[in-house]
Amino acid sequence: MDNNALYNISDDELIEQTFQELLNDYLSTKHRKRVEIITKAFNFANQAHKGIKRQSGEPYIMHPLAVAKIVCNEIGLGSTSICSALLHDVVEDTDYTVEDIENIFGPKIAQIVDGLTKISGGIFGDKASAQAENFKKLLLTMSSDIRVILIKIADRLHNMRTLGSLATNKQLKIAGETLYIYAPLANRLGLHKIKTELENLSFKYEHPEEYEEIENKLHASAAERDEVFQQFTAPIRSQLDAMGIKYYILARIKSIYSIWNKMQTKHVPFDEIFDLLAVRIIFEPKNSAEELNECFNIYVAISKIYKPHPDRLRDWVSHPKANGYEALHVTLMGNNGQWIEVQIRSDRMNDVAEQGFAAHWKYKEGGGGEDEGELDKWLRTIKEILDDPQPDAIDFLDTIKLNLFASEIFVFTPKGEIKTMPQNATALDFAFSLHTDIGRHCIGAKVNHKLVPLSHKLESGDQVEILTSKSQRVQPQWLTFATTAKARSKISAILKKEQRNYQKKGETVLNEFLLEEGIRPEIVNYDKLLNLHNIHTKEELLAAIGSRMIILGDNDRNVLKEKQSSNWKKYLTFSFGSNNKDSKQSKKQENEIEEKTSKEVINPKKILKLTEDAIQKNYVIATCCNPIPGDDVLGYLDERNKVTIHKRQCPVAVKLKSSYGNRIIATEWDLHKSLSFLVYIVLKGIDRVGLLNEVTQVISRQLGVNIKNVNIVCEEGIFEGKFQLFVHDVDDVKQIIDNLKKVSDIKMVTRVQE
């Protein structure tokens, strides 16, 4: 509907018009035409939400209507799901109960609405335990009726489409949560189109400038891409027409988020992303039995027109992906000298690719029932770890998330029994899949009769025998190579139990130490010890003491008995490392400043603008991502009322947005080039005499940038250098990179983490 046409009609007319659109969309599907119950659900919800407005100012009922339209058009569900979508906020926001819904609409709709109500506050609350509990509710509800999560994803998609009306910190919370949980869930359920839109919208609100820049570049190169598409597909169309195949061909453009992600991971600019265009051939098979053969017939035909890449054939027709995706992918060399991927799908395969598992239902005999198989296996795997809840929400979400992208391999026990494991599973994962006791006591494995360590990655067809010892105990480093949700949850639970025992012992030791020294067990004294040992929480401190990683002695005694130190304040007058070449600071002072930059508390008014609730609070710059002025950043307010500043795309920040969204603070830089920060620049090129000299001349003389450290490697004619520089902000970094790219024989320049 044209939004401009809506300005001149009343709310009631708008609501009625939107509902009629929903009915028309539903009537054009293959589902049974249960218009009466949908109309009944709409009238009920409309009356329940009467007079309520959304943040955007539109009537509240427009949101359930929009969700119902997504459920109908973009996920392909029927009347039960449409009714549930229309009613999904009624129990949460009005005086009606689940019992009322059941009495009026029956048990199935009531069950789905109840599931949606349980997770209606979002997956995440304020406290870690509440977040984990809510996520458990989500998963348990998923396993009872998958339509709950499908409707929840539709709800999140509409919220993301209307995110612009919310405050910035709310946008960051919801966008982070979406990227961390909902996009992977949509992907795992085969909702590729929705997954892509969720990623793009999250990226748009987290990095608006980068989003706009890539969008503009895509728009500027659209005509050129269209010409390539037309020329490439012309002979393919002629061949398919000659074969009498009913088909249509689409151009698939790489999503903005995918482009940005590739630019970040591959350290390449937009101009070096060569797979922006892919071609999709969607055909109507003569009959279902010929579907697979026709895919390969088309592949053979187009491979005679263009040369195929020998290593890039992907057969997901004979062996579908775990999320139900089926297609034949082949990469062909176009006449322009570039490789172009062609995706061959039947119309049924395309529906499954667009609408996920829900699309299977349309093709089942009798038009009803749910397709089980891979989805049920995945849900069963997730349910296994719900018996062992993690008290820390971030750990719990990480553990679950491991299963969201997993593909499968098949391995054998010594007796020949087949076990299904996620791809990249290790021998340790296999041990825990057999039994927790086998996992906790395993010391190694034999794979195909050869001894391997527990970290050994398994492959399909491996025969695996686990070796155990009663004296073996779970090791913390196991978490670095355990990949399955079950193994990680069991290891974490065992380690946490040990940690609690250490904490109890540590508390006894510390109290005895304080009593002996005549020092009161006050918060200020705990803080002194936390700062001395560079530990974040009291619990970590007690565990370290209990496990004898920390042995209390003279240093602790001296720190506890001295007055509260304020030595850090002397560094407020220093830059984060001077970029003045005539600076007289000693090397020792420079190192001290660098160390304080990453660890000490700085006055926020000097560097950043934070929202009102944190304007007076101190903050630290996160050492995990080392943001500098100009980077997109956010603040995280911890339990000790300290604000940590992260890059928005920092993996730690992504988890914090997802799990502690209400503690996220909108933040922007306000430095005016007053301080300097350390960054790392990597460059690669063809080695030649004088290249290093030219590079350092550009950095030091042309740009006046202070170089702290240089590491150069030259191997077989390839030059690779890593420079540690002091800069003021991102603009400095961009100027450095642009100038270095102009140096002859330098092929790649990028900023990296340490």
Side-chain angles (χ1 to χ4, degrees):
M1 190 193 316
D2 183 1
N3 287 335
N4 294 323
L6 303 182
Y7 294 129
N8 299 321
I9 63 175
S10 69
D11 284 351
D12 288 343
E13 289 173 321
L14 170 61
I15 293 165
E16 185 58 35
Q17 191 172 327
T18 307
F19 175 61
Q20 286 304 320
E21 289 175 3
L22 170 63
L23 276 186
N24 292 337
D25 292 342
Y26 171 67
L27 288 169
S28 66
T29 69
K30 297 176 183 176
H31 289 283
R32 289 175 292 168
K33 307 300 183 266
R34 300 182 65 203
V35 172
E36 187 178 333
I37 193 166
I38 293 175
T39 304
K40 185 177 176 182
F42 162 69
N43 289 333
F44 185 87
N46 191 24
Q47 189 59 42
H49 295 302
K50 199 96 179 147
I52 309 298
K53 301 275 187 180
R54 291 191 88 209
Q55 201 93 16
S56 59
E58 69 178 7
Y60 191 88
I61 189 63
M62 294 299 290
H63 168 64
L65 277 167
V67 175
K69 288 179 79 171
I70 293 169
V71 162
C72 176
N73 298 330
E74 299 179 56
I75 303 182
L77 298 175
S79 59
T80 300
S81 299
I82 292 170
C83 290
S84 301
L86 289 168
L87 298 165
H88 80 271
D89 279 335
V90 167
V91 174
E92 174 71 15
D93 296 340
T94 74
D95 293 332
Y96 289 106
T97 65
V98 175
E99 289 73 22
D100 294 329
I101 301 295
E102 183 169 357
N103 290 335
I104 300 168
F105 297 99
K108 179 51 72 176
I109 289 174
Q111 181 191 2
I112 296 173
V113 171
D114 186 36
L116 289 161
T117 302
K118 284 176 181 171
I119 52 173
S120 62
I123 296 174
F124 313 99
D126 291 329
K127 297 179 181 176
S129 60
Q131 294 162 23
E133 195 57 40
N134 280 337
F135 196 57
K136 277 174 62 183
K137 286 177 184 174
L138 171 89
L139 295 168
L140 287 168
T141 314
M142 276 177 68
S143 58
S144 63
D145 194 323
I146 192 63
R147 287 175 291 194
V148 174
I149 192 57
L150 292 170
I151 297 167
K152 186 63 184 172
I153 287 171
D155 178 44
R156 175 51 56 110
L157 178 58
H158 183 246
N159 283 335
M160 287 300 297
R161 287 173 176 172
T162 56
L163 199 58
S165 58
L166 298 184
T168 304
N169 62 320
K170 291 284 187 187
Q171 290 176 349
L172 293 177
K173 170 195 180 298
I174 294 170
E177 189 178 278
T178 299
L179 200 56
Y180 189 64
I181 292 295
Y182 284 98
L185 269 174
N187 181 68
R188 196 62 175 80
L189 295 169
L191 299 166
H192 183 265
K193 193 173 181 182
I194 288 178
K195 166 246 183 188
T196 300
E197 186 176 353
L198 289 174
E199 288 176 340
N200 276 347
L201 288 169
S202 297
F203 176 54
K204 181 179 181 179
Y205 284 100
E206 295 211 305
H207 303 282
E209 291 179 6
E210 287 93 334
Y211 182 93
E212 187 177 5
E213 184 180 348
I214 294 172
E215 188 177 43
N216 290 339
K217 286 179 177 177
L218 278 176
H219 182 72
S221 56
E224 182 185 342
R225 265 195 320 278
D226 185 58
E227 187 177 344
V228 170
F229 173 73
Q230 297 300 339
Q231 290 178 355
F232 179 80
T233 57
I236 293 176
R237 292 175 195 275
S238 299
Q239 180 61 39
L240 297 182
D241 288 342
M243 293 168 69
I245 293 172
K246 293 181 180 178
Y247 71 93
Y248 59 96
I249 299 181
L250 299 175
R252 188 232 65 184
I253 308 303
K254 202 174 189 69
S255 75
I256 293 177
Y257 173 77
S258 294
I259 293 168
W260 178 79
N261 213 24
K262 191 164 188 177
M263 289 167 65
Q264 301 300 307
T265 54
K266 301 287 186 183
H267 304 300
V268 294
F270 178 88
D271 298 334
E272 292 180 26
I273 305 289
F274 296 117
D275 59 345
L276 292 178
L277 173 68
V279 171
R280 191 168 289 159
I281 300 172
I282 300 164
F283 69 93
E284 183 183 323
K286 294 180 177 67
N287 57 66
S288 58
E290 292 297 312
E291 191 179 44
L292 186 146
N293 289 337
E294 287 191 48
C295 276
F296 281 95
N297 288 341
I298 292 171
Y299 161 66
V300 170
I302 63 177
S303 296
K304 290 177 181 175
I305 301 170
Y306 298 110
K307 183 182 176 183
H309 193 296
D311 301 321
R312 297 283 291 276
L313 176 65
R314 300 289 181 265
D315 177 11
W316 285 303
V317 177
S318 308
H319 306 284
K321 286 187 178 182
N323 63 8
Y325 180 82
E326 295 175 73
L328 197 60
H329 289 197
V330 57
T331 301
L332 303 174
M333 173 63 77
N335 293 332
N336 61 353
Q338 286 189 9
W339 292 106
I340 295 178
E341 183 181 76
V342 179
Q343 302 167 357
I344 305 167
R345 304 174 180 172
S346 68
D347 46 11
R348 180 194 65 81
M349 295 174 189
N350 192 59
D351 280 347
V352 171
E354 298 293 315
Q355 299 180 338
F357 281 102
H360 284 287
W361 305 343
K362 293 197 302 185
Y363 294 91
K364 288 186 79 70
E365 290 300 319
E370 296 176 10
D371 193 10
E372 297 180 354
E374 298 292 350
L375 181 60
D376 276 357
K377 284 187 204 169
W378 177 60
L379 292 175
R380 278 201 302 274
T381 305
I382 285 177
K383 281 183 76 176
E384 284 181 6
I385 72 166
L386 298 178
D387 299 330
D388 219 344
Q390 300 290 330
D392 186 304
I394 292 181
D395 287 350
F396 183 81
L397 295 175
D398 271 351
T399 303
I400 291 290
K401 198 169 186 287
L402 287 169
N403 280 75
L404 297 182
F405 286 115
S407 298
E408 292 178 335
I409 61 171
F410 302 95
V411 295
F412 297 89
T413 68
K415 293 180 180 178
E417 186 183 347
I418 293 179
K419 293 281 184 183
T420 304
M421 300 292 294
Q423 196 169 19
N424 297 321
T426 62
L428 179 65
D429 295 314
F430 184 74
F432 274 98
S433 77
L434 297 174
H435 196 279
T436 301
D437 277 344
I438 295 176
R440 74 194 305 165
H441 294 301
C442 60
I443 54 173
K446 283 185 178 179
V447 174
N448 304 325
H449 309 292
K450 292 181 181 177
L451 195 62
V452 298
L454 292 174
S455 58
H456 178 83
K457 282 188 180 177
L458 303 177
E459 296 180 359
S460 264
D462 281 346
Q463 188 176 50
V464 188
E465 179 186 354
I466 300 298
L467 308 176
T468 62
S469 167
K470 286 296 180 187
S471 62
Q472 175 69 296
R473 291 172 58 249
V474 170
Q475 307 296 315
Q477 62 265 32
W478 286 6
L479 284 170
T480 63
F481 53 81
T483 67
T484 61
K486 182 175 182 178
R488 287 184 65 90
S489 67
K490 297 292 184 186
I491 293 166
S492 294
I494 294 166
L495 290 173
K496 285 177 190 297
K497 187 175 180 180
E498 288 184 358
Q499 189 87 338
R500 287 193 293 272
N501 292 336
Y502 284 137
Q503 285 172 13
K504 201 170 180 181
K505 186 177 177 182
E507 189 169 23
T508 303
V509 172
L510 179 57
N511 286 341
E512 287 174 358
F513 180 81
L514 294 174
L515 187 63
E516 209 173 281
E517 299 299 328
I519 298 168
R520 295 171 65 85
E522 296 174 333
I523 292 175
V524 65
N525 290 324
Y526 285 124
D527 284 345
K528 288 179 182 180
L529 291 176
L530 290 173
N531 290 329
L532 172 65
H533 295 287
N534 194 24
I535 289 176
H536 298 296
T537 67
K538 178 184 171 183
E539 289 74 19
E540 289 177 62
L541 175 68
L542 294 176
I545 295 170
S547 63
R548 296 185 65 78
M549 287 176 63
I550 291 176
I551 297 175
L552 299 172
D554 289 343
N555 283 344
D556 304 275
R557 192 177 291 112
N558 294 337
V559 165
L560 287 167
K561 289 188 173 180
E562 73 180 10
K563 291 184 179 179
Q564 185 70 26
S565 171
S566 58
N567 290 340
W568 62 269
K569 291 182 178 177
K570 66 184 180 183
Y571 294 106
L572 282 177
T573 57
F574 293 162
S575 299
F576 290 177
S578 172
N579 72 333
N580 184 344
K581 288 188 289 185
D582 299 324
S583 170
K584 303 256 175 117
Q585 292 175 343
S586 68
K587 187 71 177 172
K588 181 182 176 185
Q589 284 177 311
E590 185 175 289
N591 289 339
E592 285 177 333
I593 293 168
E594 180 193 343
E595 185 179 348
K596 294 294 177 183
T597 302
S598 62
K599 293 181 181 175
E600 296 295 357
V601 176
I602 313 295
N603 185 338
K605 290 186 177 180
K606 293 276 179 84
I607 301 177
L608 290 148
K609 292 178 183 174
L610 298 109
T611 51
E612 288 183 17
D613 60 342
I615 200 71
Q616 300 300 326
K617 293 180 171 65
N618 292 330
Y619 71 84
V620 292
I621 300 292
T623 54
C624 52
C625 55
N626 295 311
I628 67 172
D631 285 330
D632 290 333
V633 290
L634 54 78
Y636 168 67
L637 180 65
D638 68 16
E639 293 83 356
R640 298 166 70 190
N641 286 329
K642 293 292 191 292
V643 178
T644 307
I645 306 302
H646 290 270
K647 288 183 185 176
R648 289 183 191 172
Q649 74 268 33
C650 166
V652 175
V654 170
K655 294 178 190 176
L656 293 173
K657 283 178 288 187
S658 308
S659 304
Y660 301 103
N662 294 335
R663 292 180 172 272
I664 296 301
I665 296 166
T667 310
E668 62 182 71
W669 296 100
D670 190 25
L671 251 183
H672 311 297
K673 293 191 182 289
S674 59
L675 298 174
S676 293
F677 297 81
L678 277 169
V679 297
Y680 292 83
I681 302 291
V682 168
L683 43 89
K684 294 181 182 179
I686 309 301
D687 190 25
R688 61 173 169 79
V689 175
L691 182 59
L692 176 59
N693 183 47
E694 278 187 50
V695 168
T696 53
Q697 291 274 357
V698 167
I699 295 172
S700 299
R701 291 198 179 176
Q702 284 186 28
L703 303 174
V705 173
N706 193 25
I707 301 174
K708 185 179 186 300
N709 190 25
V710 178
N711 184 23
I712 301 294
V713 176
C714 295
E715 198 171 298
E716 297 180 357
I718 301 299
F719 169 96
E720 183 170 341
K722 188 174 185 180
F723 289 74
Q724 193 177 8
L725 312 174
F726 286 110
V727 300
H728 294 113
D729 53 29
V730 167
D731 290 340
D732 284 0
V733 177
K734 286 180 179 174
Q735 188 181 0
I736 292 166
I737 289 174
D738 288 344
N739 284 33
L740 287 175
K741 282 181 176 177
K742 295 173 185 174
V743 175
S744 172
D745 292 323
I746 293 295
K747 302 300 181 185
M748 186 274 283
V749 188
T750 188
R751 175 185 168 197
V752 298
Q753 288 302 324
E754 195 170 336

